[in-house]
Structure formats: structure tokens, C-alpha cells
Amino acid sequence: MRYVSTRGEAPAQRFSKILLEGLAPDGGLYVPEEFPRISLAELRSKDYRELAKSILACFMDDIPSLPGIVERTYTKENFQSEEITPLRTLEPGFHILGLSNGPTLAFKDLALQLLGGLFESELQRQDTSLNILGATSGDTGSAAEYAMRGRKNISVFMLSPHGRMSAFQRAQMYALQEANIHNLAVEGTFDDCQDLVKQVNADAPFKERYRIGAVNSINWARIAAQVVYYFKGYFSATADNDQEVSFAVPSGNFGNIYAGYVARCMGLPIRRLILATNENDVLEEFFRSGRYRPRGGAQATSSPSMDISRASNLERYVFELLERDGAALKRLFQKEEFELLVSRQGFAAGRSTHADRIATIRAVHGRYGVTIDPHTADGVKVGLEHREPGVPLVCLETAQPAKFAETIREALGRDPARPAGFEDLERRPQRFEVLPPDAGAVKRIIARCAG
Ligand SMILES: *Cc1c(COP(=O)(O)O)cnc(C)c1O
């Protein structure tokens, strides 16, 4: 399997080459030269680890250590159950796929725990080191840091918007004491953080000298890891391989739902991918009308991990809409905004507000006795609006309610249950450095602390 850039001006590469890079040298995102087709009949009976090995082998065919990494990653110890992503049926045809049982209680653990193993193995094989530079609106940062903490030859520099994450999210990241973890709190928004990452990466000599790598959702290994649970969720929700299923996906950077699109390209019978946004509804507008209008900054909401105004992975999907014309894609993304009048078949979209979120958390708790987090609530709200008779609806649970106590209190009048091991989280000592939204400041810290 080789990977090509969405901007069409970078040479095709094998997986082991793109694993440790972020953007392609032409500024595009890597995608597989073609999507592998896969036999559902052979996969249905497999457990999570076997399923992951089969699917990931298509994308990572030059990583000999892959089976061992998968075995060590998707364990009961790491994800609380042998199922890894258990399906909960609220009523016949309406399910929640539990993706948030990993060490940081958000779905990003499913990809990042694997990435940690892949990075360590490849860096060792290539006898080199890496400085990971990332931006987070909350969950990516902690999931990346937990995946990389204490690993050899890896340092993490994680930019987060100062004062815009929940106390729980902040504590999860800032309380890590490992010397290879560096928390940089930027006086700005998540978009500012993402821009800083882009600016540092645009300085090619700096990037090469300090071996800058990425873990944000543009990394193809993360997309590939996420493809696995669409298959698992499909098999759990159906009795045979003819049944179509729709997935509702709380979306921000378009990484999670794009993995669902890839699963469908590989042959999984997904009827609709139902995209849910919060008040930051750039993606909802795009899927409804074809107009893509990223606005200035993202608005802070009570589903903060979706507070994104420019979704980096959308470029991968637009690449397919343009029938893989890299030059046309480049022209499009150089504009402030654009309109694409081609069919966005197989997608539905909707938005959810704070009031919707609260009402949905309340309704699901009242009707089914299940507490869902604010992001999952956005997905459930929009998913139910697009539910069709005879088509099972699988809503992806992207985080545990314990991470967002304030909103749960507002909805249910009490605190969410705390999973074991998290009782004293906010009281642990925190390590972080505040800095202005300035690429020079970020570079100086990397130069000082790089591994
Ligand atoms: C990251 C995240 C999302 C958004 O996922 P994308 O892949 O960026 O679209 C939704 N919910 C939670 C809890 C998240 O952490």
C-alpha cells in the first residue's frame, strides 16, 4: 500500500515513511493510493484484536511488528472489557457504541494507544527520535500524552487553548509528571493552536532539525485505527452482512466520521454517516448545502472537543469528491470559502445546541437510565432526527460523562459517576507553561527541551 498527497505534488510513500510525518511536503494530507476491499464474511466472527490485525494489515503492510503492537494495545486492562468497544442497545434498532473506555475516557485512546506502540517500534527500528507537536481542544492532548508518556525517543509538545478546557481535561494533561511531556497553554483558541502547529511545520529547516512529528487527527494511522470500530460496531448491531446500518458521529475535525467513510469504501454496508456538530456548524452547513465557509474563531460550547471552525480531515473527503484531482483541490483550499455542487451521497448532517444537549442527556437518562456525555448527546440528538425505520442506528459514544461534570449537573442535578482511579485527579500537582499565540515562542521552547 502506498500513500499519495491530496495536493498531488508529493511522491507516493509507504506507510512506515508517512507514519512519523505530519502533512505531506506539498502541504496536503496523505491518503491510500486506493481503498482496499475486504470480505465481511471472514471478519464477522473475529474478536477486536483479530479484527484490528486484519484491517490494519491492509494499511500498514510494511510494519512487521504490527500484530504484537495490536495484541499489547487492545487489552482488557487498557479498555475495561474484552469487547474493547461494547455495544449497548437502548431499544431495538437504537444502540450506543462505547468508544470511551480507554485510559483518558475518550474515543481518541483507541487510535492513540496504537500510535504510541507504532511510534516506539518504528523509532527504535530507524534508530532515531521524534518531537511530537500537537494541538488539542481537550481530548486529543491527554490521549496523546497518555499514549506517549515515558516512551523512549519521544517527546511531546502539546498546545492547548489556555482556560478553555474543563477542569477535568486540564488536570488529565497537566498532572502528568513524565519528563518527556510538555504542556504549552496558548493564550488563544484551539484554531490559534492549530495555526501555530502549521506555522512551525512550515519552517522546513526547523522541522527537520528538531524532527517534528504529529499525532493530531491528520495522521493516517489514527484514521486507520478508527476504521476498526466501525466494523466491530456493525457486526455487534447486525445478524448478517446484508443489513445496512447508519452511524451518528459527533464531529469536530472530521477524523472520526471520515474513518466511517473509509470503512464504507472498503465494503462495509453503511447506509448513512450522520454528522453532528454543535453550535460550530461549518461542517453541518457544508453537508447540507455544499458551501464551505470556515468562520473566524470557534465559539466555546459545552461540547468543547467539537469547537472547531476548520476541520482538517475534510480535505481528504473533498479529494474524493473532486475525483482525486490534487490541482483542483489545491485551488479550492487556497480560497477563503468555496461551494461544491457535487453529491455528498451517503451523508446526513445536523446541529445541536446547548439546550438540545441538556434535553438529550435528560431524555436518555430518563428513558433508558443511561448517562451520556455532552458530545455523545449531540450525536444522539442529530442521529434520532435522521433515524429511518428498518435501519439500525449506532450512535458513537465519544467520551465519558465524568469528563464534563458541569454539564451533567445542569442536566441531571447531580455529578456523574467517577471511574475508579480518577477520584483525586484535580488535586494532583500540575505542570504547564503559558505562552502567547506566537510561533517563535513555541520554537524556542522546543529548541530548549527537545529530546
Ligand atoms: C475529538 C472529539 C470529537 C470530534 O472528533 P473528530 O474526529 O475531530 O471529528 C468528538 N467528541 C469527543 C469527545 C472528542 O474528543
Side-chain angles (χ1 to χ4, degrees), residues 100 105-108 137-140 169 217 222-223 226 229 249-258 275-276 283 303-308 311-313 373-376 396-400 403-404:
S100 56
L105 310 181
F107 85 97
K108 294 187 171 77
S137 55
D139 295 324
T140 315
Q169 286 182 311
S217 61
R222 285 186 58 183
I223 303 289
Q226 293 172 175
Y229 56 69
V249 190
S251 293
N253 248 325
F254 202 71
N256 197 355
I257 197 164
Y258 174 73
L275 179 142
L283 287 174
S303 47
S305 300
M306 296 155 65
D307 290 352
I308 285 159
S312 40
N313 276 296
D373 100 290
H375 306 79
T376 307
L396 303 191
E397 177 193 60
T398 54
Q400 290 284 313
K403 295 188 92 164
F404 304 96

Side-chain angles (χ1 to χ4, degrees), residues 166-317:
S166 75
F168 188 99
Q169 286 182 311
R170 249 190 333 264
Q172 263 191 319
M173 288 177 57
Y174 299 173
L176 286 179
Q177 300 298 326
E178 279 81 3
N180 70 331
I181 303 298
H182 305 277
N183 288 305
L184 312 184
V186 175
E187 294 169 316
T189 63
F190 171 67
D191 285 326
D192 294 329
C193 296
Q194 254 188 335
D195 280 343
L196 289 174
V197 170
K198 281 197 186 138
Q199 285 171 41
V200 173
N201 274 299
D203 181 345
F206 184 88
K207 184 177 171 183
E208 196 178 322
R209 170 155 183 217
Y210 290 103
R211 300 202 40 80
I212 304 296
V215 291
N216 43 21
S217 61
I218 59 169
N219 189 297
W220 182 264
R222 285 186 58 183
I223 303 289
Q226 293 172 175
V227 170
V228 177
Y229 56 69
Y230 280 90
F231 280 86
K232 189 77 174 97
Y234 174 81
F235 292 132
S236 303
T238 59
D240 63 64
N241 297 334
D242 296 325
Q243 174 69 55
E244 282 190 321
V245 165
S246 290
F247 286 91
V249 190
S251 293
N253 248 325
F254 202 71
N256 197 355
I257 197 164
Y258 174 73
Y261 171 79
V262 174
R264 181 163 59 199
C265 292
M266 294 172 74
L268 193 67
I270 299 178
R271 177 165 165 79
R272 276 177 174 171
L273 291 160
I274 303 168
L275 179 142
T277 68
N278 62 18
E279 291 87 339
N280 298 289
D281 56 2
V282 173
L283 287 174
E284 186 269 340
E285 183 182 12
F286 175 71
F287 278 93
R288 184 169 38 77
S289 70
R291 268 197 310 277
Y292 181 63
R293 297 189 302 162
R295 317 207 178 116
Q299 176 187 340
T301 75
S302 50
S303 47
S305 300
M306 296 155 65
D307 290 352
I308 285 159
S309 63
R310 266 164 290 142
S312 40
N313 276 296
L314 186 68
E315 177 164 332
R316 289 190 158 118
Y317 174 63

